[in-house]
Amino acid sequence: MADKPTAAMVLSLIGGIFVILGGLFIAFLGSVVSSFGYLANGGANPGTAVTIVGVVGIIFGLIMIVGAVMMYSNPKSAKMWGIIVLILSILSWFTAVGGLVIGFLLGLIGGILAIVFKPAMMPGAMPSQPMGAMPMGSMGSGQTMGSMGMMCKNCGASIPAGATRCPSCGASV
């Protein structure tokens, strides 16, 4: 099991970039419409509102990128950031044409992957044996047989069969 939500981060990051591009496109169209509207009637027009919607799309894309970075740097918060990315990718339909559709799809998949992500258990967080119970495959030196070989008596990591040192902490076997 992976210890960081890499796929969720990459998809959310790329999705956020596309949502920003969609927001830029909408803001550009709004500014073009706005400039023609000012020339025609000299007052406020729908182009200004379209520009504002595009800017909101750009902000949504930026938050999606921040969410991607945060879910990767702190895997325990991946579920929360996945929900945020998922919601913003859905809302991007209203502000950035779904991030040119690609941003919506990538953000949707990245958000779902982050929501279902479960960090790998650390050796110290593993459930302990009941008092007096002898682990299966126990050896006299305090090391136990794992599915791949032995368990390190120093840190509890799995040591591949035939190794002379623990790959995690470097302790001698």
Short mmCIF file of all heavy atoms in Angstrom, two decimals, residues 110-143:
data_model
loop_
_atom_site.label_atom_id
_atom_site.label_comp_id
_atom_site.label_asym_id
_atom_site.label_seq_id
_atom_site.Cartn_x
_atom_site.Cartn_y
_atom_site.Cartn_z
N GLY A 110 -9.27 12.56 -9.37
CA GLY A 110 -8.28 12.83 -8.33
C GLY A 110 -8.91 13.00 -6.96
O GLY A 110 -8.41 12.49 -5.96
N GLY A 111 -10.04 13.70 -6.91
CA GLY A 111 -10.73 13.88 -5.64
C GLY A 111 -11.23 12.55 -5.08
O GLY A 111 -11.11 12.28 -3.89
N ILE A 112 -11.79 11.71 -5.94
CA ILE A 112 -12.29 10.41 -5.49
C ILE A 112 -11.12 9.54 -5.01
O ILE A 112 -11.23 8.88 -3.97
CB ILE A 112 -13.08 9.71 -6.63
CG1 ILE A 112 -14.38 10.45 -6.87
CG2 ILE A 112 -13.33 8.24 -6.29
CD1 ILE A 112 -15.14 10.01 -8.11
N LEU A 113 -10.01 9.55 -5.73
CA LEU A 113 -8.85 8.77 -5.29
C LEU A 113 -8.34 9.25 -3.93
O LEU A 113 -7.91 8.45 -3.10
CB LEU A 113 -7.73 8.84 -6.33
CG LEU A 113 -7.94 8.05 -7.61
CD1 LEU A 113 -6.79 8.30 -8.59
CD2 LEU A 113 -8.06 6.56 -7.31
N ALA A 114 -8.37 10.55 -3.71
CA ALA A 114 -7.92 11.08 -2.42
C ALA A 114 -8.89 10.70 -1.30
O ALA A 114 -8.47 10.41 -0.18
CB ALA A 114 -7.77 12.59 -2.49
N ILE A 115 -10.19 10.67 -1.60
CA ILE A 115 -11.18 10.32 -0.58
C ILE A 115 -11.02 8.86 -0.15
O ILE A 115 -11.13 8.55 1.03
CB ILE A 115 -12.61 10.59 -1.10
CG1 ILE A 115 -12.83 12.11 -1.22
CG2 ILE A 115 -13.66 9.98 -0.18
CD1 ILE A 115 -14.09 12.49 -1.95
N VAL A 116 -10.75 7.97 -1.09
CA VAL A 116 -10.64 6.55 -0.74
C VAL A 116 -9.22 6.15 -0.32
O VAL A 116 -8.99 5.00 0.04
CB VAL A 116 -11.11 5.64 -1.91
CG1 VAL A 116 -12.55 5.92 -2.24
CG2 VAL A 116 -10.22 5.79 -3.12
N PHE A 117 -8.28 7.08 -0.34
CA PHE A 117 -6.89 6.78 0.03
C PHE A 117 -6.80 6.43 1.51
O PHE A 117 -7.38 7.08 2.36
CB PHE A 117 -5.99 7.99 -0.28
CG PHE A 117 -4.59 7.84 0.23
CD1 PHE A 117 -3.70 7.02 -0.42
CD2 PHE A 117 -4.17 8.50 1.37
CE1 PHE A 117 -2.41 6.86 0.05
CE2 PHE A 117 -2.90 8.35 1.85
CZ PHE A 117 -2.01 7.53 1.19
N LYS A 118 -6.04 5.37 1.79
CA LYS A 118 -5.78 4.97 3.17
C LYS A 118 -4.26 4.89 3.34
O LYS A 118 -3.62 4.08 2.68
CB LYS A 118 -6.41 3.62 3.47
CG LYS A 118 -7.91 3.65 3.55
CD LYS A 118 -8.45 2.28 3.87
CE LYS A 118 -9.94 2.30 4.01
NZ LYS A 118 -10.68 2.56 2.82
N PRO A 119 -3.67 5.73 4.21
CA PRO A 119 -2.23 5.67 4.41
C PRO A 119 -1.81 4.31 4.95
O PRO A 119 -2.55 3.67 5.70
CB PRO A 119 -1.94 6.77 5.44
CG PRO A 119 -3.18 7.57 5.55
CD PRO A 119 -4.30 6.75 5.03
N ALA A 120 -0.61 3.87 4.56
CA ALA A 120 -0.07 2.61 5.06
C ALA A 120 0.19 2.72 6.56
O ALA A 120 0.57 3.78 7.06
CB ALA A 120 1.22 2.26 4.32
N MET A 121 -0.02 1.62 7.27
CA MET A 121 0.25 1.62 8.71
C MET A 121 1.75 1.63 8.95
O MET A 121 2.50 0.91 8.32
CB MET A 121 -0.36 0.38 9.36
CG MET A 121 -1.87 0.44 9.44
SD MET A 121 -2.56 -1.00 10.26
CE MET A 121 -2.02 -0.72 11.91
N MET A 122 2.16 2.46 9.87
CA MET A 122 3.57 2.52 10.25
C MET A 122 3.87 1.35 11.18
O MET A 122 2.99 0.89 11.91
CB MET A 122 3.88 3.84 10.95
CG MET A 122 3.58 5.05 10.08
SD MET A 122 4.41 5.00 8.49
CE MET A 122 6.02 5.52 8.98
N PRO A 123 5.12 0.84 11.24
CA PRO A 123 5.43 -0.29 12.10
C PRO A 123 5.05 -0.06 13.56
O PRO A 123 4.59 -0.96 14.23
CB PRO A 123 6.94 -0.46 11.96
CG PRO A 123 7.25 0.12 10.63
CD PRO A 123 6.25 1.22 10.43
N GLY A 124 5.22 1.14 14.08
CA GLY A 124 4.89 1.42 15.47
C GLY A 124 3.39 1.46 15.71
O GLY A 124 2.94 1.32 16.84
N ALA A 125 2.59 1.62 14.65
CA ALA A 125 1.14 1.72 14.81
C ALA A 125 0.45 0.38 14.65
O ALA A 125 -0.75 0.30 14.71
CB ALA A 125 0.59 2.71 13.79
N MET A 126 1.21 -0.67 14.41
CA MET A 126 0.63 -1.99 14.21
C MET A 126 0.08 -2.51 15.53
O MET A 126 0.64 -2.24 16.59
CB MET A 126 1.66 -2.95 13.65
CG MET A 126 2.14 -2.55 12.28
SD MET A 126 3.32 -3.72 11.67
CE MET A 126 2.46 -4.31 10.27
N PRO A 127 -1.00 -3.28 15.49
CA PRO A 127 -1.56 -3.81 16.73
C PRO A 127 -0.57 -4.76 17.40
O PRO A 127 0.12 -5.53 16.74
CB PRO A 127 -2.82 -4.55 16.27
CG PRO A 127 -2.73 -4.66 14.79
CD PRO A 127 -1.75 -3.64 14.32
N SER A 128 -0.51 -4.70 18.71
CA SER A 128 0.46 -5.51 19.44
C SER A 128 -0.12 -6.88 19.74
O SER A 128 -1.32 -7.09 19.70
CB SER A 128 0.85 -4.80 20.74
OG SER A 128 -0.30 -4.65 21.55
N GLN A 129 0.77 -7.82 20.06
CA GLN A 129 0.39 -9.18 20.42
C GLN A 129 -0.17 -9.20 21.84
O GLN A 129 0.24 -8.41 22.68
CB GLN A 129 1.63 -10.09 20.37
CG GLN A 129 2.21 -10.26 18.99
CD GLN A 129 1.39 -11.22 18.14
OE1 GLN A 129 0.71 -12.09 18.66
NE2 GLN A 129 1.44 -11.03 16.84
N PRO A 130 -1.11 -10.08 22.13
CA PRO A 130 -1.59 -10.19 23.50
C PRO A 130 -0.46 -10.62 24.43
O PRO A 130 0.50 -11.25 24.00
CB PRO A 130 -2.66 -11.28 23.42
CG PRO A 130 -2.93 -11.52 21.98
CD PRO A 130 -1.80 -10.94 21.21
N MET A 131 -0.58 -10.28 25.69
CA MET A 131 0.45 -10.59 26.67
C MET A 131 0.73 -12.09 26.70
O MET A 131 -0.18 -12.89 26.79
CB MET A 131 -0.04 -10.12 28.03
CG MET A 131 1.04 -9.72 28.98
SD MET A 131 2.17 -8.57 28.24
CE MET A 131 2.78 -7.86 29.70
N GLY A 132 1.98 -12.48 26.58
CA GLY A 132 2.40 -13.88 26.65
C GLY A 132 2.23 -14.63 25.35
O GLY A 132 2.60 -15.79 25.28
N ALA A 133 1.66 -14.02 24.31
CA ALA A 133 1.49 -14.72 23.05
C ALA A 133 2.80 -14.74 22.29
O ALA A 133 3.53 -13.77 22.25
CB ALA A 133 0.43 -14.04 22.20
N MET A 134 3.11 -15.85 21.70
CA MET A 134 4.34 -16.01 20.93
C MET A 134 4.00 -15.79 19.47
O MET A 134 3.13 -16.48 18.94
CB MET A 134 4.88 -17.43 21.16
CG MET A 134 6.26 -17.60 20.65
SD MET A 134 7.39 -16.84 21.81
CE MET A 134 8.86 -17.65 21.35
N PRO A 135 4.62 -14.81 18.79
CA PRO A 135 4.31 -14.59 17.38
C PRO A 135 4.65 -15.82 16.55
O PRO A 135 5.58 -16.55 16.88
CB PRO A 135 5.20 -13.41 16.98
CG PRO A 135 5.72 -12.83 18.25
CD PRO A 135 5.60 -13.89 19.30
N MET A 136 3.90 -16.00 15.45
CA MET A 136 4.19 -17.14 14.58
C MET A 136 5.58 -17.02 14.00
O MET A 136 6.00 -15.96 13.59
CB MET A 136 3.18 -17.19 13.43
CG MET A 136 1.89 -17.85 13.81
SD MET A 136 0.85 -18.07 12.38
CE MET A 136 1.68 -19.38 11.54
N GLY A 137 6.30 -18.11 13.95
CA GLY A 137 7.63 -18.11 13.37
C GLY A 137 8.65 -17.39 14.23
O GLY A 137 9.63 -16.90 13.73
N SER A 138 8.41 -17.32 15.51
CA SER A 138 9.31 -16.60 16.39
C SER A 138 10.67 -17.29 16.43
O SER A 138 10.77 -18.51 16.42
CB SER A 138 8.72 -16.54 17.80
OG SER A 138 9.60 -15.89 18.66
N MET A 139 11.69 -16.48 16.49
CA MET A 139 13.05 -17.00 16.54
C MET A 139 13.66 -16.58 17.87
O MET A 139 13.25 -15.61 18.48
CB MET A 139 13.88 -16.45 15.37
CG MET A 139 13.26 -16.79 14.02
SD MET A 139 14.08 -15.96 12.70
CE MET A 139 15.47 -17.03 12.47
N GLY A 140 14.69 -17.27 18.32
CA GLY A 140 15.30 -17.01 19.62
C GLY A 140 15.92 -15.64 19.74
O GLY A 140 16.05 -15.10 20.83
N SER A 141 16.31 -14.98 18.65
CA SER A 141 17.00 -13.71 18.73
C SER A 141 16.05 -12.53 18.84
O SER A 141 16.48 -11.39 18.74
CB SER A 141 17.90 -13.53 17.50
OG SER A 141 17.09 -13.45 16.34
N GLY A 142 14.74 -12.79 18.97
CA GLY A 142 13.79 -11.68 19.09
C GLY A 142 13.24 -11.24 17.74
O GLY A 142 12.50 -10.30 17.65
N GLN A 143 13.64 -11.93 16.67
CA GLN A 143 13.12 -11.59 15.36
C GLN A 143 12.07 -12.61 14.98
O GLN A 143 12.16 -13.78 15.33
CB GLN A 143 14.24 -11.60 14.33
CG GLN A 143 15.27 -10.54 14.60
CD GLN A 143 16.46 -10.67 13.67
OE1 GLN A 143 16.67 -11.71 13.10
NE2 GLN A 143 17.20 -9.60 13.53
#
